[in-house]
Amino acid sequence: MPDMTSRRNILFGAAAAVTTGGLLTACTSNEPSDKGSSSKAADQPVADDKPGKQVTIGFAGPQADHGWLNAINDNAKERAKKYSDVTLEATEGSNDTAAQIGQVETLINKKVDVLVILPADGKALTQVGLKAMRAGIPVVNLDRIFNTPQAYRCWVGGDNYGMGLAAGNYIGEQLKDKKNAKVVELAGIDNLELTKQRSQGFDDALKNFPNIKKVARQAADFTVESGQAKMSQLLQAQKSFDALWNHDDDQGVGALRAIKQAGRDDFLMVGGAGALSAMQAIEAGDSVLKATVLYPPTMAASAIDLARALGQGKGISGMAEFEIPAHVTLFSAVVDKKNVGQYMPTGFR
């Protein structure tokens, strides 16, 4: 989840962020939709185009030790199955940089047509990205960015600053008529750049609402256990507040446990990332969780679309250019009671 503030970023709307729909798939898809679709966003309908050149895509994803990371792997694999002209060579996935470098080098030696890489560490894997590019294998860099654009042909990922901005604006609109409103923030891992960006976006949004003051911030670790422990601390320290923004829906499971145990229901909560459990809670309307801001794992499905287009020498339907963009930044949509039904198929477990 990288820092992407370059002016070259292309901001796609909610449709691209949620279903990887018309804009990305109109020129790259060849299979009709599966009527028995599951909850994966990659199972959403794709355009019924004719098959093209056969393309072998190497996919080096993360170790699935978090709901969002598991969804990344699932979206990539399920999307590839939609194409009769795509063969996916997927690695086991690793959060160990040395192991992942070895996995990518194996894919390079197999001479795959295109590589899709979500690096465990963008800086550490930059050299192997360069190696692939120099070998004539275009790289789609997913989410965590390499140190140089020479190491990838296209980057696709989410908007961490935009997540914070969307969360802050949503909370601001809910509390705009309340005098001396107070909000608290349950952040992610504090030494990560993505956490800093999410907090900065949140703070910048709140500047538009002078009646609102952020009275506390606590960092957690993107885990259920840390979410519960840190939320308990926040609740003990803050006897009264009006809204909570939690950066991550996985740690939000723990936060909701702490809130329930404390018997608190005097504030609204906004989550982050778009877990299925969060969307189900929003739909049920029986907890303080009223919305979540997407950081869509459907980006992995989009990465497969883009990799196929690269392998077949295509651009993107709906754009004038002959080539795919250099950067695709997905939109951080807010999901609440009004639109949760639309977004539910993208929720990850």
Side-chain angles (χ1 to χ4, degrees), residues 135-209:
I137 302 173
V139 174
V140 178
N141 180 194
L142 184 57
D143 193 43
R144 301 169 187 164
I145 197 166
F146 295 137
N147 272 11
T148 171
Q150 296 182 68
Y152 58 86
R153 166 59 183 82
C154 176
W155 175 87
V156 56
D159 184 356
N160 287 292
Y161 178 85
M163 279 185 75
L165 200 67
N169 282 326
Y170 180 85
I171 287 173
E173 287 298 321
Q174 307 308 306
L175 302 178
K176 63 183 179 181
D177 296 325
K178 183 177 178 62
K179 292 182 179 180
N180 302 317
K182 300 176 182 179
V183 301
V184 298
E185 180 181 5
L186 184 62
I189 300 171
D190 245 351
N191 64 354
L192 295 180
E193 187 63 27
L194 68 92
T195 299
K196 298 173 186 176
Q197 292 167 6
R198 292 179 186 185
S199 288
Q200 187 62 59
F202 186 62
D203 290 344
D204 286 351
L206 292 182
K207 292 175 183 177
N208 297 317
F209 303 93

Side-chain angles (χ1 to χ4, degrees), residues 7-49:
R7 292 183 181 179
R8 293 184 298 168
N9 286 1
I10 295 177
L11 184 64
F12 276 23
V18 176
T19 63
T20 58
L23 191 57
L24 287 181
T25 61
C27 71
T28 60
S29 307
N30 58 54
E31 297 292 343
S33 62
D34 181 359
K35 298 299 183 182
S37 64
S38 72
S39 63
K40 297 186 183 69
D43 286 331
Q44 296 304 300
V46 294
D48 189 15
D49 292 347

Side-chain angles (χ1 to χ4, degrees), residues 110-154:
K110 286 185 175 181
K111 298 182 179 179
V112 296
D113 297 306
V114 189
L115 272 167
V116 175
I117 306 173
L118 196 161
D121 183 311
K123 180 180 179 181
L125 267 81
T126 296
Q127 288 302 314
V128 79
L130 284 166
K131 182 176 181 179
M133 291 288 286
R134 290 166 181 164
I137 302 173
V139 174
V140 178
N141 180 194
L142 184 57
D143 193 43
R144 301 169 187 164
I145 197 166
F146 295 137
N147 272 11
T148 171
Q150 296 182 68
Y152 58 86
R153 166 59 183 82
C154 176

